[in-house]
Amino acid sequence: MSQSAPHPQPQDQGATTPSQPAGPSEPSGSAAHGDSTEPRHGAVASGELVPAASRTLQPRPQPQRPWTGQDYVWWNTAQVLTAVRAGFKPNPVSPVVDPIRPTHSGEVILGSCDGEILAFKRGDNSNYQPMRGFFLAGGAAGLALMAAFFGGQAVVNSRRKRRAERDAVEKWRHLANARLSVSTHGIYLGTPDGVMFIGYQQIRECQVTGVGEVMLAATNEQGNVRLKVRGQWAELVMVIWAALFLPEHPQLVGRSWLPGDWLLHARAYNREVDTSNWP
């Protein structure tokens, strides 16, 4: 996967719903007051249902755009946030979960997807080494060959130098394609070299840097690492980590990991999200 490639589009159109706290029970009506057989104004006689007209419900907005696979990802991520904030253990949110042996007792793998790992580094050709050719020839023909050779060598060296100058700039660069699995205790990054586990308690910084992209910095006994991870469930990484270790995270408090009108968008499709326990 290259840097310019779009984020992997979710294939999950039927993700399961994670655990969430039960909402408040519906009011069953209030008892009549006094001996009067007629209920007072605003009261409901015992046994009657509250008329729908008396409830203060906001009208459901009209959909302004289609409901997409990315909306399913955000909706399930929001449900996980509600469950974690309530102290519940979320259920898997993706039908695709890689067969990874959990690191911790009670750990649940919530979802897996194709991903990409990026590192902030220089390019592989940042050390410019001019090519030193050697060509011996005599006579007019030999001089012509030497001129052609060294002329071509200059062009090659110029290209290499420009490439080295570009690679000398530190920026986020592709490190490896990977499988991203998000769990209740951390993330697993599977590459051809093996599977790396990063626990949430090891993460010191994490923020959403784009749709399906998070930047994280982690520390363990081996050292420090700073990575960008791209994948369908990238936002889920930040949401769980912040809910557990940094509830005052600006992106969690400001809900900026979601599009600004997304909660209304979800409500238009009858997919309300309980945000009552969100920071």
Side-chain angles (χ1 to χ4, degrees):
M1 181 181 300
S2 66
Q3 280 183 278
S4 59
H7 303 326
Q9 290 300 315
Q11 300 175 352
D12 172 20
Q13 293 280 330
T16 57
T17 304
S19 301
Q20 54 180 320
S25 59
E26 288 287 339
S28 59
S30 58
H33 296 273
D35 298 327
S36 172
T37 58
E38 294 294 328
R40 297 192 312 175
H41 179 69
V44 179
S46 178
E48 290 187 11
L49 295 177
V50 178
S54 69
R55 297 176 184 173
T56 57
L57 294 179
Q58 297 295 324
R60 189 178 304 282
Q62 292 298 313
Q64 301 299 311
R65 58 184 182 274
W67 184 263
T68 67
Q70 182 60 51
D71 290 314
Y72 274 101
V73 171
W74 282 325
W75 184 76
N76 279 285
T77 300
Q79 298 289 342
V80 170
L81 174 57
T82 299
V84 171
R85 290 282 296 176
F88 296 162
K89 181 186 294 183
N91 294 322
V93 293
S94 170
V96 179
V97 176
D98 290 353
I100 296 176
R101 182 168 63 89
T103 305
H104 297 82
S105 175
E107 182 178 6
V108 177
I109 308 297
L110 301 175
S112 303
C113 63
D114 289 334
E116 179 186 9
I117 306 172
L118 298 94
F120 193 77
K121 66 186 185 74
R122 292 184 175 90
D124 296 330
N125 299 306
S126 57
N127 292 326
Y128 168 60
Q129 299 281 346
M131 184 175 66
R132 303 300 182 187
F134 185 74
F135 190 87
L136 292 177
L143 293 174
L145 286 172
M146 288 178 66
F149 176 82
F150 285 113
Q153 186 185 48
V155 172
V156 171
N157 286 343
S158 177
R159 290 174 179 170
R160 288 187 174 184
K161 184 177 181 180
R162 289 196 301 270
R163 188 183 306 118
E165 289 172 349
R166 290 194 302 268
D167 287 347
V169 177
E170 284 190 318
K171 63 179 183 179
W172 290 105
R173 299 178 185 273
H174 172 84
L175 187 62
N177 294 327
R179 286 288 292 178
L180 168 65
S181 293
V182 184
S183 86
T184 51
H185 288 66
I187 67 173
Y188 296 84
L189 296 171
T191 71
D193 296 324
V195 178
M196 176 174 62
F197 173 74
I198 302 177
Y200 292 128
Q201 75 277 5
Q202 297 172 324
I203 296 177
R204 295 293 176 263
E205 178 186 358
C206 185
Q207 59 181 309
V208 174
T209 52
V211 176
E213 180 182 280
V214 291
M215 185 280 295
L216 60 88
T219 302
N220 63 14
E221 57 275 9
Q222 277 78 43
N224 304 318
V225 66
R226 181 178 291 271
L227 300 170
K228 268 190 178 181
V229 179
R230 291 175 176 168
Q232 172 179 327
W233 296 108
E235 287 93 338
L236 185 59
V237 178
M238 188 282 293
V239 163
I240 297 179
W241 173 77
L244 294 174
F245 293 98
L246 194 66
E248 66 274 19
H249 192 299
Q251 291 183 327
L252 198 64
V253 174
R255 304 178 183 180
S256 56
W257 61 275
L258 290 167
D261 66 341
W262 187 83
L263 290 172
L264 283 176
H265 174 61
R267 191 165 182 272
Y269 282 91
N270 198 26
R271 291 186 174 274
E272 288 89 348
V273 176
D274 179 9
T275 62
S276 60
N277 65 0
W278 287 18

